[in-house]
Amino acid sequence: MAIDRSLSSDAADGRYGSAPPRPPFIEHVAYARVGLLGNPSDVYFGRTISFSLGNFSASVRLQPSDDLVIQPHPVHDLVRFDSIDHLVNRLQNEGYYGGVRLLMSICKVFYKYCIDNKIDLKAGNFTLSYDTNIPRQTGLSGSSAIVCAALSCLLDFYKVRHLVKVEVRPNLILSAEMELGIVAGLQDRVAQVYGGLVYMDFCKEHMDSQGYGVYSPMDISVLPPLHLIYAENPSDSGKVHSTVRKRWLDGDMFIILSMEEVAKIALEGRRALLEKDYTKLAELMNRNFDLRRSMFGDDALGSLNIKMVEVARSVGAASKFTGSGGAVIAFCPNGPSQAEQLENVCREAGFVVQPAIVVPSFLNEEDLKTLSHS
């Protein structure tokens, strides 16, 4: 989603003063994402289905300026505190890092990609600023949302959107995060670049030959009503992949076969969604989490994360992680009365619960022209 407009208030346009018109700014929004089925097989040449979650978003604004400035956020990049208690409390709840490093990293990755691919960039500087309401450490891809929105701003500022394929953009976002040591896969970035509901196949042959997967947008109308559940003080979603990844690379057959089954869940889930077989969808969501739990173990997943799933299941709802922990997506196959029960038990357990808002795809005509499989 993009906004490209001039700030033409009376004061800004000089109608009642001498201030010159401000140059137009570019603003893009990227939404949180939910891994519905198949995660975390995206980093194991698997398949996933994900969608853009409209409940939360990040925005980045690019304003032309004399110098290139990365503007700290007044809350998320706080460096001035009332006391040492304030500082420590802030670090315990929000962590050490805000979004400045993300903006810097995508600028570097974007610039290097353009140089390597002989894409000329016009002269000119800008100021980048951001805002976000995506809860931290909830497995809703808050960091990549900031990077995704910033990349869109850069594409428009330099007028190179038509030269950077849509399929490649998730790789650029992931590269920017990997520069900072963030552990992740491609599915989150694909969902945020494409918007809407996307089926993704990360088969090794295509990944090796093209560097990205096969991404197939789906009509969001095939989704039933879903609920988002999250904890206000969640676990760290960035450390969950580590042990399983090593075992997979070492040839552990239990992990390899389990991850293949997780990938198959997305394939079966696509069929279930297209046929609106929601009984099957519920089974697959539960199976997806059960497989994750068997591979990662309870210590890695965290007791609070497991409790969210179990609370949802206590009223018969299907449930699984949206990502690597911190939030859960739930489906109530028995309808509104079951959804009401879900809301009650989640609130009693101290969790936040709300209907999941699915954002349609927001690729524009220029984006669609770059697609290999449009």
Side-chain angles (χ1 to χ4, degrees):
M1 179 178 292
I3 305 168
D4 191 349
R5 57 179 181 249
S6 296
L7 300 179
S8 54
S9 67
D10 290 341
D13 66 13
R15 188 174 302 167
Y16 300 119
S18 59
R22 292 183 184 180
F25 66 78
I26 299 165
E27 184 172 358
H28 279 272
V29 175
Y31 293 92
R33 76 88 193 88
V34 166
L36 182 62
L37 292 171
N39 55 313
S41 74
D42 56 313
V43 291
Y44 303 93
F45 302 114
R47 308 177 192 90
T48 62
I49 298 175
S50 298
F51 64 84
S52 287
L53 181 73
N55 303 60
F56 303 107
S57 64
S59 62
V60 173
R61 177 177 291 191
L62 184 154
Q63 177 84 46
S65 55
D66 293 335
D67 298 316
L68 201 160
V69 179
I70 307 297
Q71 188 169 305
H73 191 278
V75 174
H76 304 302
D77 297 292
L78 193 63
V79 293
R80 184 169 182 164
F81 305 91
D82 296 333
S83 65
I84 193 168
D85 287 343
H86 181 202
L87 182 150
V88 172
N89 184 64
R90 163 65 171 75
L91 295 179
Q92 287 176 337
N93 289 296
E94 302 291 332
Y96 285 88
Y97 303 114
V100 166
R101 62 179 187 145
L102 299 169
L103 299 181
M104 287 183 172
S105 186
I106 189 58
C107 285
K108 175 186 175 183
V109 168
F110 170 77
Y111 177 79
K112 186 175 185 303
Y113 176 84
C114 291
I115 296 298
D116 291 346
N117 289 275
K118 297 179 172 55
I119 297 174
D120 293 330
L121 299 179
K122 69 173 186 176
N125 286 325
F126 51 82
T127 295
L128 276 182
S129 59
Y130 78 97
D131 197 8
T132 181
N133 65 1
I134 301 175
R136 293 176 63 89
Q137 303 299 345
T138 51
L140 294 173
S141 300
S143 294
S144 58
I146 294 171
V147 180
C148 180
L151 175 60
S152 287
C153 288
L154 295 171
L155 293 174
D156 287 345
F157 177 75
Y158 288 107
K159 302 186 187 304
V160 295
R161 183 171 288 274
H162 63 294
L163 298 176
V164 181
K165 293 171 61 175
V166 171
E167 292 100 330
V168 169
R169 295 174 199 172
N171 294 60
L172 299 181
I173 295 166
L174 181 59
S175 294
E177 293 179 276
M178 290 177 67
E179 287 245 340
L180 303 171
I182 296 173
V183 178
L186 276 170
Q187 73 149 337
D188 304 1
R189 291 92 202 142
V190 174
Q192 289 170 321
V193 167
Y194 280 68
L197 177 68
V198 188
Y199 170 78
M200 313 168 204
D201 189 337
F202 299 97
C203 66
K204 190 174 189 303
E205 181 181 1
H206 201 273
M207 289 292 292
D208 287 345
S209 64
Q210 301 297 323
Y212 50 82
V214 179
Y215 310 136
S216 306
M218 299 175 66
D219 193 321
I220 64 172
S221 67
V222 302
L223 286 172
L226 299 166
H227 281 77
L228 176 71
I229 305 165
Y230 65 96
E232 292 187 293
N233 296 298
S235 64
D236 187 342
S237 68
K239 299 178 181 178
V240 179
H241 289 302
S242 55
T243 304
V244 169
R245 179 70 176 172
K246 182 179 186 305
R247 292 169 63 189
W248 184 81
L249 290 170
D250 289 344
D252 185 318
M253 289 309 299
F254 171 72
I255 297 298
I256 290 171
L257 294 175
S258 296
M259 205 60 75
E260 287 176 357
E261 189 173 348
V262 171
K264 186 180 178 183
I265 283 174
L267 183 64
E268 294 179 10
R270 184 188 190 190
R271 186 181 309 114
L273 286 171
L274 292 173
E275 295 174 357
K276 297 193 174 181
D277 183 351
Y278 297 138
T279 300
K280 182 67 172 178
L281 174 65
E283 294 174 1
L284 293 171
M285 288 176 65
N286 284 331
R287 181 62 178 153
N288 200 149
F289 176 77
D290 293 343
L291 284 166
R292 176 189 279 272
R293 188 174 186 177
S294 70
M295 287 186 287
F296 287 89
D298 288 5
D299 288 343
L301 298 191
S303 58
L304 187 66
N305 292 322
I306 293 170
K307 183 180 178 182
M308 278 190 284
V309 171
E310 292 179 340
V311 166
R313 290 186 178 184
S314 71
V315 296
S319 58
K320 62 177 293 296
F321 289 176
T322 61
S324 299
V328 162
I329 192 71
F331 168 50
C332 296
N334 295 335
S337 61
Q338 189 178 37
E340 186 176 348
Q341 289 179 302
L342 174 68
E343 292 173 0
N344 290 336
V345 295
C346 285
R347 292 191 180 110
E348 287 172 6
F351 300 130
V352 180
V353 58
Q354 53 191 241
I357 301 169
V358 185
V359 180
S361 176
F362 36 78
L363 294 178
N364 61 35
E365 289 186 11
E366 194 170 17
D367 294 324
L368 295 173
K369 289 177 183 176
T370 75
L371 287 171
S372 299
H373 304 282
S374 57

